[in-house]
């Protein structure tokens, strides 16, 4: 059934005027499969390893409603309410058994309402800041289960933010292939009496599509408190993709993240108050041959810097290298089957992980392994089916 006809049928079932529902679209994605996950070689000894286990997985399946209303004079209302669903379990739990904040409730994924015109778009709601790579690297976000570009952190050094609540965003119109978004979240509404209310998250994204594709992201997540001592997480991403043929692109993504004035010590890494930083480079390739799409990716995280070097804190051996190879068979524009192999090789104190969409079986979903798993090498071998509707 056509999506808009489906919406009209829902409207009729509830007695709503058909005209009022004419611009409603129901959409979503189901992305499930079977995989084997392990994270072995932990520096603390094999007793800390995550031994190989078979899993039926769900990655970033979602159900959403979106639409527009023409308000006259070129002005439109826009809205999206998108919710993550775990079709494998029917619960909010991710692969590691804990809750995934992007699933289980209405509006758990990007959801907003706003107005747009020739001057651009203003939206309010839960929205991504810094998190996605757009068309530069889509393997883990749109094509398969996970890749090394969707980990969310550079091992020990975490990113500023991902999908963020309570955001107001302005997106400019696209002119000659160029547009941008400025996002701001006043991250203090839950502050209790007497606490500072100057916490905030903000980000800027610039995009260009033409002979090359390019995207730059910069974001800052500042905790409440005195300006000189409050923890501040910041990140910069620069991505450039060269679409050398239809359905084919090679892209380079550079990432630099900094965690300044750490609010708490990190085991075997940094002391409270340290300002640590790390850089990474990721190369992504995709090429479509008829009904076959080939994907590959390699990423390298450099050793972190800025740690207090002591008996229990060090930046030594915190680097990592990640690999992904995958193939998809395109049954149609909406349905594909895929096979993928992902592996990250961590140095003895490295904690980079494969956690995009909650794919890790470790006890964290932030893009890094727990400290007792430092040095372990996460690996996922998967087959799956993805359907967009």
């Amino acid at each position: 059934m056509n999506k808009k006809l489906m919406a009209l049928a829902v409207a009729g079932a509830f007695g709503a005027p058909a005209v009022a529902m004419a611009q409603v679209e129901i959409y979503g994605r189901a992305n499930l499969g079977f995989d084997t996950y392990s994270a072995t070689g932990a520096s603390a000894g094999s007793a800390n390893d995550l031994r190989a286990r078979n899993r039926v997985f769900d990655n970033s399946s979602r159900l959403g409603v979106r639409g527009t209303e023409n308000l006259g004079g070129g002005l439109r209302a826009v809205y999206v309410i998108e919710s993550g669903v775990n079709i494998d379990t029917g619960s909010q739990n991710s692969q590691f058994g804990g809750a995934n904040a992007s699933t289980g409730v209405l509006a758990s994924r990007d959801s907003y309402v706003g107005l747009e015109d020739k001057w651009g778009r203003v939206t309010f709601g839960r929205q991504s800041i810094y998190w996605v790579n757009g068309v530069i690297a889509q393997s883990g976000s749109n094509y398969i289960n996970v890749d090394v570009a969707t980990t969310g952190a550079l091992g020990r050094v975490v990113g500023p933010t991902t999908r963020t609540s309570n955001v107001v965003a302005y997106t400019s119109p696209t002119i000659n292939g160029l547009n941008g978004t400025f996002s701001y979240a006043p991250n203090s509404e839950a502050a209790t009496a007497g606490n500072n209310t100057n916490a905030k998250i903000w980000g800027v994204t610039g995009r260009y599509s033409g002979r090359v594709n390019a995207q730059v992201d910069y974001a800052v997540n500042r905790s409440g408190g005195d300006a000189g001592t409050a923890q501040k997480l910041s990140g910069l991403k620069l991505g450039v993709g060269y679409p050398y043929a239809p359905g084919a692109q090679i892209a380079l993504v550079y990432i630099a993240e900094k965690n300044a004035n750490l609010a708490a010590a990190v085991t075997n890494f940094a002391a409270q108050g340290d300002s640590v930083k790390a850089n990474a480079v990721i190369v992504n390739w995709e090429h479509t041959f008829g009904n076959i799409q080939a994907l590959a990716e390699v990423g390298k995280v450099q050793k972190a810097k800025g740690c207090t070097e002591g008996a229990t804190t060090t930046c030594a051996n915190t680097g990592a290298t990640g690999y992904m190879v995958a193939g998809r068979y395109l049954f149609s524009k909406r349905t594909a089957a895929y096979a993928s192999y992902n592996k990250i090789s961590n140095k003895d104190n490295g904690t980079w992980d494969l956690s995009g969409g909650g794919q890790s079986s470790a006890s964290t979903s932030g893009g890094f392994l727990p400290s007792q798993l430092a040095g372990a090498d996460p690996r996922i071998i998967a087959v799956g089916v993805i359907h967009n509707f």
Side-chain angles (χ1 to χ4, degrees):
M1 181 182 290
N2 180 278
K3 295 178 183 178
K4 292 185 178 179
L5 291 178
M6 184 184 297
L8 290 172
V10 172
F14 287 92
V19 174
M21 299 292 290
Q23 298 300 316
V24 177
E25 181 182 8
I26 299 172
Y27 71 98
R29 173 185 298 173
N31 185 10
L32 292 97
F34 181 86
D35 72 10
T36 297
Y37 175 94
S38 63
T40 59
S43 299
S46 60
N48 295 280
D49 286 349
L50 291 180
R51 299 178 182 178
R53 73 284 313 273
N54 295 328
R55 313 181 304 182
V56 172
F57 69 86
D58 180 293
N59 186 288
S60 301
S61 294
R62 77 284 304 261
L63 181 65
V65 178
R66 60 191 172 198
T68 63
E69 181 185 7
N70 189 345
L71 303 176
L75 184 65
R76 293 176 299 278
V78 296
Y79 68 90
V80 173
I81 302 174
E82 185 173 296
S83 306
V85 292
N86 288 329
I87 303 175
D88 55 342
T89 63
S91 72
Q92 192 179 2
N93 288 349
S94 190
Q95 308 303 326
F96 64 91
N100 182 343
S102 292
T103 65
V105 296
L106 287 174
S108 55
R109 294 179 60 85
D110 282 36
S111 302
Y112 53 82
V113 66
L115 298 172
E116 66 178 10
D117 202 338
K118 59 185 178 181
W119 40 259
R121 172 186 290 191
V122 174
T123 51
F124 305 88
R126 181 167 165 80
Q127 300 172 76
S128 292
I129 302 176
Y130 184 79
W131 175 230
V132 293
N133 292 304
V135 299
I136 305 298
Q138 300 188 71
S139 297
S141 57
N142 289 320
Y143 294 154
I144 56 173
N145 54 328
V146 70
D147 66 357
V148 297
T150 51
T151 56
L154 302 182
R156 295 287 195 173
V157 180
V158 302
T161 188
T162 54
R163 187 169 291 114
T164 307
S165 299
N166 304 315
V167 174
V168 54
Y170 166 73
T171 299
S172 73
T174 299
I175 301 174
N176 295 326
L178 180 68
N179 81 334
T181 299
F182 176 79
S183 305
Y184 171 77
N187 203 29
S188 299
E189 65 180 58
T192 56
N195 284 355
N196 286 297
T197 58
N198 56 351
K200 58 186 176 182
I201 301 172
W202 62 270
V204 177
T205 298
R207 311 171 191 86
Y208 174 76
S209 292
R211 191 66 189 91
V212 298
N213 297 315
Q215 181 167 314
V216 56
D217 294 271
Y218 181 74
V220 173
N221 183 341
R222 184 187 183 281
S223 300
D226 296 334
T229 59
Q231 177 175 276
K232 185 171 75 170
L233 312 178
S234 60
L236 171 68
K237 289 193 302 180
L238 299 170
V240 178
Y242 173 56
Y244 58 89
Q249 178 176 246
I250 186 166
L252 176 71
V253 181
Y254 169 78
I255 306 172
E257 295 178 348
K258 182 176 182 180
N259 301 167
N261 300 320
L262 287 175
V266 181
T267 303
N268 297 326
F269 178 52
Q272 182 177 353
D274 279 355
S275 293
V276 294
K277 57 185 178 180
N279 301 331
V281 175
I282 295 170
V283 178
N284 183 82
W285 174 74
E286 58 186 69
H287 193 108
T288 304
F289 310 84
N291 287 79
I292 304 295
Q293 185 180 34
L295 306 168
E297 199 169 76
V298 60
K300 185 172 181 60
V301 175
Q302 296 179 343
K303 182 188 79 170
K305 300 178 181 179
C307 307
T308 296
E309 297 294 330
T312 60
T313 55
T314 180
C315 277
N317 296 315
T318 51
T321 304
Y323 309 90
M324 179 277 291
V325 291
R328 301 208 311 160
Y329 183 80
L330 310 176
F331 293 101
S332 70
K333 292 182 178 180
R334 298 184 298 167
T335 303
Y338 61 84
S340 65
Y341 175 82
N342 277 274
K343 182 177 180 179
I344 289 179
S345 297
N346 281 301
K347 291 190 177 294
D348 290 346
N349 197 24
T351 59
W352 206 20
D353 197 9
L354 296 161
S355 64
Q359 283 298 284
S360 177
S361 277
S363 58
T364 178
S365 61
F368 54 93
L369 297 169
S371 58
Q372 69 269 22
L373 277 169
D377 300 332
R379 185 191 69 168
I380 300 177
I381 304 172
V383 292
V385 175
I386 183 169
H387 174 74
N388 297 289
F389 60 91

